[in-house]
Amino acid sequence: KDINIYSNVNDLLLHRLDDFKSEGRNLLQLCAVLGFEFSLSELLSVQCRGRRQKPKQVKKIQGILNRAVNERILLEISQGGSSYTRKGEKLSSQILRPEENEVCEKFYTFTHSIWLNCVLGTMLEDWKRDLHNTVAGVLEIQGYGDLKDLKSANRLFGHFKYANNLMKAGELALKLGTYFHSLLLICQASDVCLEAIQMWKDVYPIKREGVDIAG
């Protein structure tokens, strides 16, 4: 029996990713763009572009996620209190509530940052930027920028930033900075504003005469 020997861990992980069909790899790439942790509802919203999810489509996506969990690429988690509790290996086969035809919320995390970086590394920068832009558009419609949940607002800011949507990222950074300042959280307000300024500097490293950097 032939034994495959890989030169490094990344090659081994890439080989395991290749075992997935293109649809599965594309879904894992979307998961990676969403972040180290993400929810099933977020994934479905972006995958279906905010449209109502069909049960057949949801089950197909859940099947890919289940396989990723079995392959130890993802870990299904449950939110409780201030920490995450690992769930057992056996996942429920019931995805949709029959009486309501609604998706049961689930949360996932990559088992290790190596997996996250490996999946991101399989993507072209243009494709990654387009996905960030798509994710940002869907999450913005869902109200992630309303500051009701600061963690969600910060995530939206990150997606705008990595999508190179400087205007949207700058506007949200200003909202976050103003909100933090109103709570006398001066350090947090300063950090988010400095990050937004650095974002502009990275795109326009040379200040041209007559051009002002927003912010």
Side-chain angles (χ1 to χ4, degrees), residues 42-188:
E42 291 171 341
L43 179 62
L44 292 175
S45 294
V46 177
Q47 184 73 359
C48 301
R49 301 298 190 271
R51 299 187 295 271
R52 184 176 180 83
Q53 304 92 358
K54 297 179 180 178
K56 188 175 180 180
Q57 186 178 15
V58 173
K59 290 183 179 180
K60 195 171 187 178
I61 291 173
Q62 184 68 76
I64 297 173
L65 294 175
N66 287 351
R67 184 185 171 189
V69 170
N70 291 332
E71 293 284 342
R72 298 294 183 181
I73 298 173
L74 298 176
L75 181 70
E76 187 185 343
I77 56 179
S78 59
Q79 273 186 317
S82 59
S83 62
Y84 290 116
T85 304
R86 291 173 181 254
K87 300 182 72 175
E89 292 184 12
K90 292 185 178 180
L91 302 177
S92 172
S93 60
Q94 183 182 14
I95 302 160
L96 298 171
R97 297 173 182 168
E99 69 279 8
E100 300 174 1
N101 203 35
E102 293 181 355
V103 177
C104 297
E105 183 65 294
K106 296 183 179 181
F107 298 88
Y108 295 89
T109 178
F110 280 85
T111 54
H112 199 283
S113 58
I114 294 177
W115 266 120
L116 174 65
N117 293 330
C118 178
V119 176
L120 290 174
T122 63
M123 305 172 65
L124 296 174
E125 288 301 317
D126 287 345
W127 173 236
K128 197 185 304 182
R129 184 167 55 249
D130 288 344
L131 265 185
H132 275 293
N133 190 55
T134 300
V135 171
V138 173
L139 298 186
E140 184 182 26
I141 291 174
Q142 293 184 345
Y144 274 50
D146 295 341
L147 304 187
K148 295 178 181 177
D149 181 353
L150 292 180
K151 183 178 179 180
S152 297
N154 273 308
R155 288 181 60 196
L156 179 59
F157 168 70
H159 288 302
F160 279 138
K161 175 183 174 182
Y162 293 121
N164 278 347
N165 193 333
L166 304 186
M167 293 303 298
K168 287 280 189 178
E171 291 172 0
L172 185 53
L174 180 60
K175 285 176 62 177
L176 283 166
T178 302
Y179 181 75
F180 284 135
H181 191 271
S182 69
L183 298 178
L184 300 181
L185 299 174
I186 308 303
C187 289
Q188 288 83 346

Side-chain angles (χ1 to χ4, degrees), residues 18-30:
D18 285 340
D19 288 339
F20 284 81
K21 294 181 180 180
S22 60
E23 186 178 14
R25 291 195 297 271
N26 290 339
L27 187 70
L28 287 175
Q29 288 175 341
L30 175 55

Side-chain angles (χ1 to χ4, degrees), residues 3-8 11:
I3 299 176
N4 293 321
I5 300 177
Y6 304 96
S7 58
N8 54 55
D11 287 345

